[in-house]
Amino acid sequence: SKLVSKAADGGITALHLSALYGHLDCVQLLLDLLANVSATTFHYGSAIDLIGRYLPLDKKFATFLSF
């Protein structure tokens, strides 16, 4: 999970970007690979915040119920 949660400049991770752009399949895959949902960036907050903000409600629940 270290590689999956590796942060780029500003602390942004693949999970942040996937959630930010609404790519549910990528979010699900990264969660399955144990990506760090608590990883925080200066601009966007935590990955879990972005999932809550940018994924539709029904998809958000489907994502969290599966892990």
Side-chain angles (χ1 to χ4, degrees):
S1 71
K2 281 186 178 184
L3 184 60
V4 171
S5 296
K6 181 129 174 93
D9 292 341
I12 200 158
T13 66
L15 186 56
H16 285 103
L17 290 173
S18 297
L20 184 63
Y21 291 105
H23 296 294
L24 178 62
D25 292 339
C26 292
V27 169
Q28 185 64 62
L29 175 64
L30 291 165
L31 292 174
D32 290 346
L33 294 171
L34 303 177
N36 182 1
V37 295
S38 300
T40 308
T41 71
F42 181 72
H43 294 290
Y44 299 111
S46 71
I48 197 79
D49 292 334
L50 291 178
I51 291 169
R53 193 174 311 142
Y54 293 104
L55 291 181
L57 189 60
D58 58 333
K59 291 181 180 178
K60 187 176 13 175
F61 284 120
T63 299
F64 287 111
L65 290 175
S66 68
F67 81 96

